[in-house]
Amino acid sequence: APSLQDQRQRFVVSALWDLPIGDADDPGNATASHNPWVRAFSNIEVAPIFSVATGMPVNPLTGVDSGLAYVFPFAARPFGLGRNSLRMPLNADLDLRVLRTVRIWRGKLDLVAESFNLLNHTNVTDLNPSFGSSLDSSSWFGRPIAASAPRQIQFSLDYEF
């Protein structure tokens, strides 16, 4: 049987783009422009991270001591289902960081916006593994009961001198 850490596929792509307007590493050496649009979009870095992964295994249980082993937690599985035979759905995530550098006095100020789970995809982190002893509880068997955080956005300032 697969272990609880068995993940069949995982694909991650990350990048760092320094937009070709101005010089984000040294804003003082960037050629001065009188065009307000060029100045507004100069010294910007964009860094996305995209990941897709197949679901992790979940161990199905009956939820009762059907084997009469008198142990807790109950470890009996429903008939016909092996250990860790359930799988959570696919997880997909896109994180994005945008940084703009502004020259101030003798240093530089970094204006940063970061977004986690930008697409707001529901990533399931746990399924109901309990088959239950009644017919009503079996309808909830294998359904999602927990998910990772929804879209989050944060802003920060960083002054380097």
Side-chain angles (χ1 to χ4, degrees):
S3 76
L4 284 174
Q5 287 76 34
D6 180 41
Q7 188 171 46
R8 300 298 166 107
Q9 291 94 22
R10 181 170 172 83
F11 178 74
V12 179
V13 175
S14 63
L16 174 62
W17 287 299
D18 205 356
L19 297 185
I21 305 170
D23 184 9
D25 292 331
D26 190 6
N29 287 342
T31 56
S33 175
H34 298 293
N35 185 338
W37 289 104
V38 171
R39 282 186 302 191
F41 291 102
S42 65
N43 306 319
I44 294 178
E45 293 178 2
V46 178
I49 301 174
F50 177 70
S51 64
V52 178
T54 55
M56 302 291 276
V58 176
N59 191 21
L61 301 171
T62 60
V64 296
D65 189 13
S66 57
L68 300 176
Y70 304 106
V71 295
F72 187 82
F74 304 128
R77 284 186 292 280
F79 181 73
L81 293 176
R83 182 172 63 93
N84 302 330
S85 60
L86 294 178
R87 287 267 173 190
M88 287 187 267
L90 174 108
N91 283 341
D93 196 15
L94 175 64
D95 299 338
L96 180 67
R97 180 175 197 249
V98 178
L99 176 137
R100 183 173 191 286
T101 303
V102 179
R103 184 164 173 75
I104 294 182
W105 193 47
R106 294 184 183 194
K108 63 180 184 174
L109 181 69
D110 292 336
L111 307 165
V112 182
E114 294 176 306
S115 176
F116 305 98
N117 194 8
L118 183 63
L119 303 176
N120 206 23
H121 182 264
T122 303
N123 291 315
V124 175
T125 58
D126 202 7
L127 298 177
N128 181 8
S130 215
F131 190 75
S133 58
S134 69
L135 294 175
D136 292 342
S137 62
S138 64
S139 65
W140 294 100
F141 175 67
R143 292 207 179 164
I145 57 175
S148 62
R151 179 186 305 122
Q152 296 179 353
I153 299 173
Q154 68 184 23
F155 302 96
S156 65
L157 295 172
D158 178 27
Y159 182 71
E160 298 177 24
F161 55 93

